Amino acid sequence: MKVDLHCHSNVSDGVLAPAAVAAYARKSGVDVWALTDHDEVGGIKPARAAARELGMRFVAGVEISVTWANETVHIVGLQVDEDNAGLLAGLADTRNGRQARAREIAAQLATAGIPGAYEGALNYVANPDLMSRTHFARYLVEIGVCGATSEVFRKYLTEGKPGYVPHRWATLGQAVGWIRGAGGIPVIAHPGRYKFSDTAEGALFDEFRQLGGAAIEVVTGSHTPDQYGTYAEVARRYGFLASRGTDFHAPGEARVEFAELPPLPAGVTPVWHDWFS
Ligand code: AMP
Ligand code: MN
Ligand code: MN
Ligand code: MN
């Protein structure tokens, strides 16, 4: 059974509509699939309908932006009720401020000699509530400022760079609370991607568990093969369930395609272990 519990559609910063992501996943051999758009569950209903048509088991998900210890951390929620009022209100609050941030990113890029980035990025946006750095990255590649979106992030959109605008997202407690309140399972997304010291990382895991967190991503397109082992060990040590997902955004843009992502290592308990029994 091939399970992918982390994917994006154009409801956030992916390029395909939810039903098209479902078709792409299915074509790649996925049997159990979650859509986990950033701070938004607007794609869940069409995704579920498409998954059903294609004979895939569907998991309603979301990836919530959190600020913890002055860094951005992503918390995935799986098996959430996408109609839960508390979750919807929390996500709406979290999305709030993305517009102003996008204007500020564009103003800074203009100062750096790249005018018109707001309008340019907007061409890539399907959901006006969710303007992401990714949309700016795609525009800067389009106009030839950089050759790839990863280069745009490195040169323009990360801390200390000319288009970087600091932003305060939800708290860890809020994200875990909204997910639990909606019947879901909170999962730390791609833990290997954060730049924490070992001590800070341990504090994140402890606090997450205390708040009601249950799982971490072990095999993700955002981890190196070495990190699959590292975070499998973390999952065992902290008693976290283990999750797996590509973090798909666009065909060809993926660091790891659906077909290339390995299974979870032995000795961890999959987050889906009791879902289908
Ligand atoms: P935002 O929520 O607007 O800050 O954008 C975050 C998104 O940017 C992430 O979900 C990724 O899709 C993308 N992203 C972040 N860092 C990089 C990077 N180094 N290369 C490519 N995409 C990135
Ligand atoms: Mn993204
Ligand atoms: Mn993420
Ligand atoms: Mn993601």
Side-chain angles (χ1 to χ4, degrees):
M1 195 170 70
K2 200 146 125 192
V3 181
D4 196 302
L5 302 177
H6 191 148
C7 287
H8 297 275
S9 75
N10 65 357
V11 164
S12 66
D13 62 347
V15 301
L16 302 178
V21 185
Y24 193 87
R26 192 55 169 153
K27 207 182 69 191
S28 311
V30 173
D31 304 298
V32 178
W33 174 62
L35 183 69
T36 55
D37 274 310
H38 296 287
D39 306 321
E40 173 68 271
V41 288
I44 295 299
K45 289 186 200 303
R48 180 184 291 118
R52 201 167 277 162
E53 284 281 301
L54 294 158
M56 257 187 319
R57 289 187 198 261
F58 180 71
V59 176
V62 64
E63 181 176 19
I64 303 180
S65 310
V66 160
T67 303
W68 188 86
N70 285 321
E71 298 288 336
T72 299
V73 168
H74 287 170
I75 304 297
V76 163
L78 298 174
Q79 302 279 35
V80 293
D81 168 10
E82 75 274 14
D83 296 320
N84 179 268
L87 176 67
L88 288 169
L91 294 180
D93 262 358
T94 305
R95 287 193 303 270
N96 216 343
R98 274 187 180 268
Q99 268 304 320
R101 172 190 185 233
R103 293 275 182 199
E104 182 62 22
I105 291 174
Q108 292 195 19
L109 289 174
T111 305
I114 306 165
Y118 182 85
E119 292 71 21
L122 205 52
N123 271 326
Y124 290 88
V125 172
N127 173 4
D129 271 3
L130 213 127
M131 252 185 119
S132 160
R133 284 184 293 164
T134 310
H135 300 116
F136 284 92
R138 294 201 179 109
Y139 175 64
L140 264 59
V141 170
E142 175 198 320
I143 61 172
V145 169
C146 290
T149 53
S150 54
E151 187 189 343
V152 182
F153 275 90
R154 201 167 60 244
K155 293 186 174 162
Y156 291 97
L157 298 177
T158 42
E159 200 168 348
K161 301 302 159 63
Y164 179 71
V165 175
H167 196 76
R168 191 148 289 278
W169 303 105
T171 68
L172 186 61
Q174 286 174 322
V176 170
W178 298 334
I179 293 165
R180 282 292 183 200
I185 300 165
V187 184
I188 298 179
H190 41 65
R193 229 170 74 182
Y194 312 123
K195 303 277 175 273
F196 293 127
S197 66
D198 288 353
T199 312
E201 192 191 52
L204 171 65
F205 296 147
D206 284 335
E207 188 178 329
F208 177 66
R209 194 174 45 187
Q210 258 164 29
L211 288 165
I216 62 171
E217 288 182 348
V218 169
V219 173
T220 143
S222 296
H223 281 172
T224 62
D226 266 5
Q227 289 173 324
Y228 304 157
T230 305
Y231 289 98
E233 179 52 34
V234 167
R236 284 190 290 267
R237 197 163 57 217
Y238 283 83
F240 288 135
L241 301 169
S243 192
R244 175 186 187 277
T246 46
D247 205 353
F248 171 84
H249 284 74
E253 204 181 272
R255 276 170 269 209
V256 183
E257 285 288 329
F258 285 97
E260 298 158 6
L261 197 71
L264 285 176
V268 297
T269 307
V271 65
W272 60 87
H273 73 109
D274 62 353
W275 290 356
F276 310 114
S277 50

